[in-house]
Amino acid sequence: MTASAASPGARRSPGDLRRYEMLVDGEWVPARSGETFETVDPFTGRPWALIPRAGPADVDAAVAAARRAFDEGRWRRAPGRERARLLRRLADLVAERADAIAEVETTDNGKLIREMQGQLRGLPDYFHYWAGAADKLHGETIPGATADWLIYTIREPVGVVAAITPWNSPVLLLTWKLAPALAAGCTVVVKPAEQAPASTLEFARLVQEAGFPPGVVNVVTGFGEEAGAPLVAHPEVDKIAFTGSTATGSSVMRGAADHIAQVSLELGGKSPNVVFADADLDAAVDGVVAGIFAATGQTCMAGSRLLVQQDVHDEVLERVSARARAVRMGDPMEPETEMGPVAFEGHLAEVRRRIAAAEAEGARLVAGGRRPDADALRDGFFIEPTVFAGVSPEMSICREEVFGPVLAVTPFRDEAEAVRLANDTEFGLAAGVWTTDVRRAHRVAHAIRAGTVWINAYRSVGPMAPFGGFKASGMGRENGSEAVREYTQVKTVWVELGGASRDPFKLG
Ligand code: NAD
């Protein structure tokens, strides 16, 4: 068994490492090699849990279990309402344990407890949404060219799904994959990120408690190259649902190509928050701050480019920078903390490298940019909320994802220039548009090439609304009715009704 849900105090005791096992075919198991790795609390900088270090043999076992459960088990053939019942039970269990899992998540990735509680408490909505869909996944009848034909389609589960997730919102981003996959009748092998795998294992206990049959949901923990890559390349995997960086996403696509697995990719972003002079500036400044400093900027949809119309540029820059300087950094477990550390030491080094590059390229540092020197923050992987002004489109800070609390500010003259700058990126995940002109709001929303555009808002998601990227931000959609396509495939059945024999050498 895995350890029971963590209490926040547990992470403060060095040497007392919580031990976890993985879920394969309904059993809690160590890695076959017996190897483990440590996961580190980003606030204390100390390891707090030991995680099985899965390799290809563990991946084989998990995929074999998922394959058996799909091919031979009752799961995919069960009426949708049976799958729905289990999804609802899981929703109830998650609702009961949301706060405990949130604590594990904060301990593992350093994001604020209130952010993780918010995510976990909202999770049951996703399972209820997909429970509601489970018995409504049907095909259609199609009129044939003549009355001799009945043509209909069946929507079938795609098969064994590999769900590979990042460290920033492990259980939420898993749910975006798992809930529709299970509703459709797929079986799943989950591979969480090595930097924050514990909450996924805690969540897997609830999957088991809810009564999902063995092999329907499996979890292997380990590193990208050792566990993720073999899972992607496994010939018995039918579909890979991946969230992570664009670089890994393209290697996932290559791995899937060898066995023609289906792929959906939720990747990185460099999303623009576009503030027009006629905007409600109080709301816009709040939205800009939420877009880049919430979650220490470690969200795929971070509004990391602020495009602001010249007339209000200085005022908005001043207000956002003042807010940046006033952000309360601290223990992410404390409810009044506004920004915690970044998730791991290597990531801190990477964020600092990008800040240094921006300065070297001539961007003007207006706020932050350094490690805070307060004693209480010394052990954690902290970086100040950072604002760069005078950013031009060719600078790396305007083009590359930082995945940290670093904002790049660029002025624009008019709507046409705003749209051009917003689209001048390889990414296309999200955008915010701030204006009180309703026509302009929709014009700009239509012109921006991104999977999600918020008007006078930023960073809202929900089970009902499709989410995903244009361009290098990915392919496929999670959430909403669109996500059904990711976990089902359509079979077309032709029924000859006329009884006539047909010309064997003629198509039709
Ligand atoms: P990452 O790409 O390094 O890792 C993501 C997952 O892929 C991890 O589980 C990792 O172990 C695994 N992995 C690594 N190499 C692999 C390989 N060769 N084959 C298979 N799996 C492999 O990303 P990360 O640093 O954990 O996450 C941050 C990135 O995720 C950012 O770029 C962010 O924008 C993106 N992200 C996107 C969304 C979205 O919905 N679009 C959401 C959250 C995060």
Side-chain angles (χ1 to χ4, degrees), residues 111 163-169 173 176-177 191-195 222-233 240 242-249 251-252 265-270 298-302 344 347 401 403 427 429 467-469 473-474 478:
K111 282 172 74 173
I164 301 180
T165 52
W167 44 264
N168 60 331
S169 297
L173 296 173
W176 289 9
K177 299 161 179 47
K191 210 299 280 171
E194 51 272 39
Q195 297 88 353
F223 292 83
E225 287 303 325
E226 296 171 5
L231 181 58
V232 167
I240 300 139
F242 173 82
T243 300
S245 63
T246 296
T248 309
S251 109
V252 164
L265 303 172
E266 300 285 353
L267 306 176
K270 193 78 203 176
Q298 300 167 115
T299 75
C300 53
M301 62 190 95
F344 54 101
H347 187 43
E401 185 181 42
F403 218 61
F427 296 109
L429 190 61
F467 184 82
S473 291
E478 301 197 296

Side-chain angles (χ1 to χ4, degrees), residues 36-93:
T36 57
F37 64 96
E38 291 176 339
T39 174
V40 173
D41 177 340
F43 179 65
T44 63
R46 288 197 296 266
W48 73 280
L50 277 181
I51 307 290
R53 182 167 180 165
D58 302 290
V59 168
D60 278 348
V63 173
R67 188 82 257 166
R68 261 193 317 277
F70 186 79
D71 290 344
E72 298 163 25
R74 191 180 131 64
W75 179 244
R76 62 177 289 205
R77 296 171 192 89
R81 66 175 185 281
E82 281 186 27
R83 291 195 297 275
R85 210 164 30 238
L86 289 180
L87 285 165
R88 289 200 180 93
R89 205 177 291 159
L90 180 57
D92 292 344
L93 289 170

Side-chain angles (χ1 to χ4, degrees), residues 25-42:
D25 207 9
E27 304 286 336
W28 291 101
V29 294
R32 286 176 179 222
S33 64
E35 285 189 52
T36 57
F37 64 96
E38 291 176 339
T39 174
V40 173
D41 177 340

Side-chain angles (χ1 to χ4, degrees), residues 293-317:
F293 300 133
T296 320
Q298 300 167 115
T299 75
C300 53
M301 62 190 95
S304 50
R305 287 186 298 145
L306 168 59
L307 306 179
V308 54
Q309 198 158 19
Q310 264 170 0
D311 328 36
V312 291
H313 172 272
D314 292 355
E315 180 185 352
V316 171
L317 177 64

Side-chain angles (χ1 to χ4, degrees), residues 51 53 130 184 249 251 272 306 340 379 425 453-454:
I51 307 290
R53 182 167 180 165
W130 287 103
S251 109
L306 168 59
D379 293 336
T425 169
V453 181
W454 294 284

